[in-house]
Amino acid sequence: MSKELTRSSIHQDLNGNLEKAKHHDSDVQRSLLRSIFIIVTCTAAMVVNTANTSSVSVSLPTIERHLNIKEEQLQWLVSAYSLSSGCLLLFFGRLADIYGRKKAFMIGTFCQVTFSLGAGFAQSGITLVILRALQGLGAAATIPSALGILAHAFPPSKMRSIAFATFAAGAPVGGAFGMIIGGILTQISSTHWRSPFYLVAVMSGLVGISGMISFDADVSSTEAVDWIGASLVTVGLVLIVFVLGQGEVASQGWKTPYIIVLLIVGIIVVFLFLLWERYLEQVIDDPSRAPSVWTPPPLMRLSLWTRAKGRMAVILAIAFLNSCAFVSWGFWVQLYYQNYLLLTPMQTMLRFIPMFVVGCLCNVLVAMFVGKLPLVVFAVSGTLLTASAAILFASIDPTVTYWAFSFPATVLVVFGADFMYSAGTIFIAKIALPHERSVAGALFQTMTQASGLGTAVGLALSTLVFNIVVDNESAGVGITVNSAGTNAPRFAQLKGYRSAQWTCASFSLMAALLAALSLHGVGIVGDRKTIRHVDSDETIAVRFESKD
């Protein structure tokens, strides 16, 4: 009898949450100004997240010279950040759902401040890579928390579409801001590449203060944490992402024994995680079984992937493939500018400015039309335009003007990232249950952005293609490329850059094909309904409690 009562109480709590979500009426108990601050703060967190990657990317050649890092190991300065944040997003997303998204957000910003300052004082490549990995802990906590905060603060409405479109705009804005400010500070400041890290620390501190003031009070839970699942998924993803980044630069490449072993172990551990999560989900859904400390709610319900007739999994796959293309495109373009065309960081930065302008316009378009056009329009058009940008660079002629290939590519590449991120987050917030919004956002973030698996996989595969092509082309003229790649002929380097871009294009084209085949029946994911803000000091949490 007690088992049935316990199980019944769990389902009543879940149903109660669903009813609250369904009857979350159009009166939001906060002022319009405070709602704006919530959106701005969450968006600023995304700006810091992407600026953390782009500011480092544009500084890579300078860091390479100052700290004597080999070129083939440079990607670790980018991948270390995505390794830690991408592998811990699910865990921190679940902690945010249980213990409070505001708490998780504040802890994340504190990590960003602390380890950004530490990175600015690093004296060796190894130290910098470690601190970059620790920086990723902050992103793993802030981004899924921000997604959950927005989804909870704004019910399905036009305001929610604007909130998520603005949040998504933080990605291109942060990318462009990091690229521009990073390039300027690296070239003209006395501390060179260290200055962007100091700037990120200051920005993170301001974001934390704003969140402390503007965010609604936390609604915590008494649910237990799936520590076993968290350990399995973290270890498995760390091993897989590490192998993806290290496989090409290991002593024997992908044939190196420890690379093979770690890859196999990583895949097995992830498979065990999936089995464990499936078991926990079955236990929770079975009314004949009583919950215990050994069977907490799963970190990630596998049924989450099957939501909306499996379209959830499709959206995640499309976002992952497009992220592989977009982030890798930026990585190779800035290396092409600085290492092949020998441009300065500031000259490189200027060539990326169109991304900032177009990125903002893309999210304005999403906010305007996400309630009018079906999701498939955003997914197919965005991924095809990103593929076009990669194809332009794959066909580039270094002797022609910037306006012939580079400018149109820089304009087009951002469409896929912004369309998919904005529309994708709105779609996921719509189908996710109230108590799992941060986890759902974390899962989407794991597949995308500069802190996700898309970065690690895209960089690993495109680096593999680049190195193979450069080595083969150089061997054709009797040259064995050294470990730093400094003696590779220019024609071999150019072909390597072009081949890396063809790899990026293939990612986006696969995403476009998947979107065209699988999303045609999704329809419109945005809402046209408006909400009325009420000037009150009450938070949504207090409001919900008053209804109970």
Side-chain angles (χ1 to χ4, degrees), residues 128-399:
L128 185 57
V129 168
I130 292 173
L131 289 168
R132 286 286 291 162
L134 293 173
Q135 270 188 304
L137 298 178
T142 56
I143 301 305
S145 301
L147 285 166
I149 287 168
L150 289 177
H152 181 73
F154 301 100
S157 60
K158 187 175 181 180
M159 190 66 173
R160 172 182 274 192
S161 298
I162 293 174
F164 276 108
T166 305
F167 178 75
V173 170
F177 177 82
M179 191 75 66
I180 294 170
I181 301 301
I184 293 174
L185 292 178
T186 299
Q187 184 164 338
I188 68 175
S189 67
S190 59
T191 51
H192 300 296
W193 60 267
R194 302 179 188 274
S195 299
F197 288 110
Y198 302 146
L199 178 62
V200 166
V202 173
M203 292 172 60
S204 298
L206 294 176
V207 169
I209 294 172
S210 179
M212 186 182 300
I213 296 171
S214 63
F215 288 164
D216 293 337
D218 276 330
V219 180
S220 58
S221 170
T222 58
E223 290 183 356
V225 178
D226 178 16
W227 294 105
I228 295 177
S231 301
L232 288 173
V233 71
T234 301
V235 171
L237 291 179
V238 165
L239 291 177
I240 291 174
V241 176
F242 173 79
V243 168
L244 289 173
Q246 192 68 16
E248 184 60 23
V249 299
S251 59
Q252 301 176 43
W254 290 95
K255 297 180 181 179
T256 307
Y258 78 85
I259 292 294
I260 298 173
V261 171
L262 291 181
L263 179 60
I264 294 173
V265 172
I267 293 173
I268 291 174
V269 172
V270 170
F271 181 70
L272 291 175
F273 164 74
L274 297 176
L275 291 178
W276 174 249
E277 296 303 291
R278 178 59 179 164
Y279 168 72
L280 291 182
E281 187 170 358
Q282 290 174 340
V283 170
I284 292 297
D285 293 339
D286 186 353
S288 66
R289 298 185 182 183
S292 73
V293 68
W294 298 107
T295 55
L299 185 70
M300 177 193 71
R301 284 178 171 261
L302 296 189
S303 60
L304 181 63
W305 291 75
T306 64
R307 300 280 169 78
K309 298 180 180 179
R311 265 59 176 270
M312 176 72 167
V314 172
I315 286 291
L316 293 173
I318 294 169
F320 168 78
L321 289 170
N322 194 73
S323 177
C324 288
F326 177 71
V327 177
S328 299
W329 181 92
F331 178 83
W332 291 108
V333 167
Q334 64 86 20
L335 285 181
Y336 168 78
Y337 283 150
Q338 296 191 57
N339 289 355
Y340 186 82
L341 296 184
L342 303 180
L343 301 180
T344 65
M346 188 174 294
Q347 290 173 324
T348 300
M349 168 271 296
L350 291 172
R351 284 160 172 76
F352 279 96
I353 287 180
M355 284 180 60
F356 168 78
V357 178
V358 177
C360 293
L361 292 176
C362 283
N363 287 283
V364 171
L365 291 175
V366 172
M368 291 174 58
F369 295 106
V370 74
K372 301 177 182 179
L373 298 176
L375 178 62
V376 67
V377 172
F378 295 100
V380 174
S381 61
T383 50
L384 285 178
L385 289 172
T386 297
S388 301
I391 292 172
L392 281 170
F393 257 96
S395 311
I396 197 167
D397 181 354
T399 63

Side-chain angles (χ1 to χ4, degrees), residues 7-17:
R7 183 64 58 183
S8 175
S9 65
I10 292 176
H11 285 284
Q12 286 176 1
D13 289 342
L14 177 57
N15 291 332
N17 287 335

Side-chain angles (χ1 to χ4, degrees), residues 23-45:
H23 295 91
H24 196 318
D25 58 55
S26 59
D27 291 337
V28 177
Q29 298 295 316
R30 80 175 73 84
S31 67
L32 176 61
L33 179 62
R34 190 167 168 217
S35 293
I36 291 173
F37 264 95
I38 291 174
I39 297 173
V40 170
T41 302
C42 292
T43 302

Side-chain angles (χ1 to χ4, degrees), residues 470-471 474-483 485 487-489:
V470 171
D471 288 343
S474 301
V477 294
I479 296 177
T480 300
V481 181
N482 59 32
S483 59
N487 66 331

